[in-house]
């Protein structure tokens, strides 16, 4: 039965992920028009080499910045118990739900042309700082969440022993807390690097022509220059780089992670001036780096909301059509993602020897960027270009790992004795699954589904590559508005971004259902899945 369940996601991954990537590898390695030597000649091209190096640089800078800022914030959250701490922890999930295009629009509203910070003479357009700030906004919370979990797994006994021997707080941190937290933080840094390296929406909107990344360049070569061979070479190199980062992440997890359970350090109440300054600094940093772009988006759209211009934009036929398409595609893809995610999680529970590899296969859509997936699908299935099944399948591929990972973690945490007790009392396997297993894993399933829904509502790269003109979505409509000159179009794009944000948040809240039950502890690998 479990093998039959595994065949469903296995065939899907083979057709929608592995086969397109293989086709792309063949095109880039030498069967295309550029041949084998062009695969290496990319590094002799100053322009393309610059795009790849900048892609690596911006990912590395963001990872380092996220660690430098996120580690102190995580330590404060893990060690100090202050009023509103639970709300802050829940608010840290917000950037994970915000679509990338909305995040980009928020950064533009804050520090772009005619942004809120314009009154201070700050305009980041034409500089790399917009993209770096956008990356930090989108990924800082990943490091903070992983850091909180890491510091909560530090042994209170070891810390107490070090303090008894006369170690200062700073020395305790360096010699006890940091070594134990390092595996979690190293994993989070690898994930931040991977997300920034394979990101598309932020780089397209915030990077501009000068600071565009390799993923944006692939789209430009395909959509505007029709240079498929050159785009294939670049896509293969980015795929190899993404795979190397993913391998480094897996090695760090395997060599450094320590799964032993420890007695955590009890959080202390705010009692000193230093504690108050730390909590104030936490709120200030999170507002500046995670809240300011969303607030700026509200400020920039407020005039349009007050004078009725926003409602005119929302009533336009193009907006209504884009809204309908966004909801339609997301609903169809979510249904498919649920089937795939549940089948993947359930089948992984029974595959003893292959279980670890099969679980890791759920990460495949995270390793391969949406641009690479969409481009590979175009090359492999030219007859199905701009077809609804292909578009829905690509949406589901990006979203279903959220469901599979969240459900698998919940199933792992279940106590077998509960199911055995129900069976002893005469319950059939189907009744045990319905009355015992499902209620226990339902919060995790809802949470994974909520993240999947929010991801599909804001999907951008796949829509650009695989949709038809009449299949306009909110993300592609925002992109069209940004491509037109004039303040009116910019204001319309901001209003549409606010609509998309409200839609993603509504989907998340409705599906997640406000579940209060704590799901099993997750490592950095699962920070984006629950």
């Amino acid at each position: 039965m479990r093998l039959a369940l595994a065949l469903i996601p296995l065939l899907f991954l083979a057709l929608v992920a592995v086969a397109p990537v293989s086709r792309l590898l063949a095109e880039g390695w030498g069967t295309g028009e550029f041949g084998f030597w062009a695969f290496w000649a990319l590094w002799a091209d100053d322009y393309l080499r610059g795009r790849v190096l900048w892609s690596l640089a911006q990912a590395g800078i963001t990872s380092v910045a996220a660690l430098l800022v996120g580690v102190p914030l995580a330590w404060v959250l893990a060690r100090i118990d202050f009023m509103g701490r639970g709300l802050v922890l829940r608010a840290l999930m917000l950037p994970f739900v915000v679509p990338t295009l909305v995040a980009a629009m928020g950064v533009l509203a804050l520090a772009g042309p005619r942004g809120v910070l314009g009154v201070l003479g700050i305009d980041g357009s034409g500089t790399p700082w917009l993209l770096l700030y956008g990356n930090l906004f989108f990924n800082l919370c990943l490091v903070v969440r992983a850091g909180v979990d890491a510091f909560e797994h530090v042994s209170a006994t070891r810390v107490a022993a070090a303090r008894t021997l006369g170690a200062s707080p700073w020395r305790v941190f360096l010699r006890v807390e940091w070594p134990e937290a390092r595996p979690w933080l190293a994993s989070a840094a690898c994930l931040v690097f991977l997300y920034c390296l394979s990101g598309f929406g932020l780089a397209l909107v915030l990077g501009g022509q000068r600071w565009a990344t390799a993923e944006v360049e692939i789209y430009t070569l395909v959509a505007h220059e029709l240079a498929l061979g050159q785009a294939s070479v670049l896509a293969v190199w980015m795929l190899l780089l993404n795979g190397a980062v993913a391998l480094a992440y897996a090695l760090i997890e395997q060599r450094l992670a320590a799964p032993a359970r420890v007695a955590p350090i009890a959080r202390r109440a705010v009692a000193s001036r230093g504690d108050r300054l730390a909590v104030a600094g936490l709120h200030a940093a999170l507002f500046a780096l995670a809240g300011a772009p969303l607030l700026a988006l509200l400020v920039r759209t407020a005039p349009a909301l007050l004078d009725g211009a926003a409602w005119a934009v929302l009533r336009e036929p193009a907006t209504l059509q884009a809204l309908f398409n966004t909801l339609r595609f997301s609903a169809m893809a979510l249904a498919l993602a649920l089937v795939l995610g549940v089948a993947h999680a359930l089948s992984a529970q029974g595959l003893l020897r292959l279980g670890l590899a099969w679980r890791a296969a759920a990460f495949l859509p995270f390793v391969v960027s949406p641009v690479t997936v969409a481009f590979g699908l175009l090359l492999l299935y030219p007859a199905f270009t701009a077809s609804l099944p292909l578009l829905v399948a690509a949406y589901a591929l990006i979203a279903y790992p959220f469901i599979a990972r969240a459900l698998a973690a919940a199933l792992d945490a279940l106590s077998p004795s509960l199911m055995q007790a129900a069976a002893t009392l005469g319950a059939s396997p189907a009744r045990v699954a319905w009355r015992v297993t499902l209620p226990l894993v339902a919060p995790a399933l809802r949470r994974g589904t909520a993240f999947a829904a929010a991801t599909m509502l804001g999907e951008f790269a796949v829509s650009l590559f695989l949709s038809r003109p009449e299949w306009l979505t909110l993300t592609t409509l925002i992109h069209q508005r940004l491509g037109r000159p004039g303040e009116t179009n910019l204001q319309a794009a901001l209003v549409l971004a606010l609509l998309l944000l409200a839609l993603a948040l509504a989907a998340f809240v409705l599906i997640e259902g406000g579940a209060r039950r704590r799901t099993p502890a997750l490592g950095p690998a699962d920070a984006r899945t629950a």
Side-chain angles (χ1 to χ4, degrees):
M1 178 64 180
R2 288 187 174 92
L3 287 176
L5 282 175
L7 284 177
I8 300 174
L10 181 63
L11 290 175
F12 180 81
L13 286 174
L15 293 174
V16 185
V18 177
V21 168
S22 301
R23 177 66 179 84
L24 189 59
L25 287 171
E27 182 75 18
W29 187 258
T31 60
E33 59 177 291
F34 284 85
F36 172 81
W37 294 110
F39 180 77
W40 299 101
L42 176 141
W43 296 100
D45 187 314
D46 292 339
Y47 179 78
L48 293 180
R49 184 177 68 248
R51 291 296 193 221
V52 175
L53 293 179
W54 165 241
S55 299
L56 294 170
Q58 57 90 27
I61 293 171
T62 303
S63 300
V64 173
L67 284 175
L68 291 176
V69 178
V71 170
L73 301 182
W75 189 90
V76 173
L77 282 167
R79 295 289 177 262
I80 302 176
D81 193 7
F82 55 90
M83 183 180 297
R85 178 181 176 275
L87 181 61
V88 171
L89 287 174
R90 290 187 68 84
L92 284 173
M93 304 302 294
L94 184 60
F96 301 153
V97 182
V98 174
T100 55
L101 208 56
V102 174
M105 294 302 299
V107 173
L108 285 179
L110 179 67
R114 295 177 295 278
V116 172
L117 296 181
V119 296
L120 301 177
I122 298 177
D123 182 0
S125 56
T127 71
W129 302 113
L130 278 184
L131 177 57
L132 294 175
Y133 178 79
N135 283 341
L136 193 59
F137 162 80
F138 210 65
N139 292 284
L140 174 63
C141 295
L142 173 62
V143 175
V144 175
R145 294 280 302 191
V148 171
D149 286 341
F151 289 122
E152 288 181 346
H153 279 74
V154 173
S155 171
T157 304
R158 293 188 61 191
V159 170
R163 295 301 299 271
T164 301
L165 294 174
S168 64
W170 179 245
R171 189 169 180 82
V172 169
F173 176 81
L174 290 179
R175 301 301 296 271
V176 179
E177 296 184 74
W178 173 253
E180 292 193 26
R182 188 171 54 198
W184 302 70
L185 296 170
S187 298
C190 281
L191 288 180
V192 170
F193 191 96
L194 184 62
Y195 291 139
C196 293
L197 187 62
S198 61
F200 177 71
L202 287 176
L204 180 65
V205 176
L206 301 179
Q209 182 61 32
R210 182 177 180 183
W211 302 104
T213 61
E215 296 293 329
V216 176
E217 187 62 30
I218 293 170
Y219 167 71
T220 302
L221 290 171
V222 174
H224 300 294
E225 300 181 19
L226 298 179
L228 299 185
Q230 198 171 13
S232 299
V233 172
L234 184 57
V236 169
W237 273 109
M238 293 308 298
L239 179 62
L240 294 176
L241 291 173
N242 285 331
V245 176
L247 179 61
Y249 163 75
L251 292 175
I252 291 172
E253 283 279 286
Q254 181 180 9
R255 295 180 61 183
L256 298 180
R261 293 184 177 273
V262 297
I265 301 173
R267 292 188 297 274
R268 64 177 184 268
V270 178
S272 65
R273 182 182 179 185
D275 290 344
R276 288 191 290 271
L277 288 176
V279 173
L282 167 76
H283 286 96
L286 289 179
F287 173 78
L289 297 174
L294 299 181
L295 181 61
L297 182 62
L298 292 174
V299 171
R300 287 284 280 120
T301 53
L305 293 172
L306 294 176
D307 64 16
W311 310 114
V313 172
L314 297 177
R315 289 195 300 268
E316 290 180 358
T319 302
L320 297 176
Q321 183 65 35
L323 178 61
F324 173 72
N325 287 335
T326 299
L327 295 174
R328 178 167 62 114
F329 299 154
S330 298
M332 289 188 289
L334 185 60
L336 178 58
L338 271 170
V339 173
L340 295 168
V342 171
H344 199 131
L346 292 177
S347 60
Q349 302 301 306
L351 300 176
L352 298 179
R353 294 184 178 180
L354 300 177
L356 183 60
W358 183 231
R359 288 169 184 266
F363 274 109
L364 181 60
F366 290 153
V367 175
V368 184
S369 71
V371 171
T372 300
V373 169
F375 187 24
L377 289 171
L378 283 178
L379 292 175
L380 184 64
Y381 305 114
F384 295 95
T385 299
S387 67
L388 186 58
L390 193 64
L391 180 66
V392 171
Y395 269 55
L397 175 69
I398 296 170
Y400 104 83
F402 291 97
I403 300 172
R405 292 293 301 177
L407 182 57
L411 289 172
D412 289 341
L414 289 181
S415 173
S417 61
L418 295 175
M419 278 68 76
Q420 292 170 0
T424 301
L425 294 174
S428 64
R431 189 169 180 82
V432 170
W434 180 255
R435 299 299 299 272
V436 179
T437 305
L438 182 59
L440 292 174
V441 302
L445 181 59
R446 285 200 302 268
R447 191 165 293 112
T449 304
F451 277 104
T455 299
M456 287 184 289
L457 288 171
E459 176 51 41
F460 182 40
V462 167
S463 300
L464 278 181
F465 270 90
L466 300 179
S467 66
R468 300 177 181 177
E470 63 269 22
W471 288 352
L472 197 66
T473 62
L474 286 175
T475 54
T476 53
L477 182 58
I478 292 171
H479 182 244
Q480 285 185 8
R481 288 285 197 172
L482 284 176
R484 300 171 187 170
E487 175 66 19
T488 302
N489 285 303
L490 176 60
Q491 195 68 27
L494 291 170
V495 171
L496 292 171
L498 192 61
L499 172 63
L500 183 58
L501 173 61
L503 197 63
L505 290 177
F508 183 84
V509 172
L510 288 174
I511 297 175
E512 203 265 352
R516 300 289 182 183
R517 183 179 182 274
R518 184 179 176 90
T519 51
L522 302 177
D526 303 296
R528 289 222 184 243
T529 63

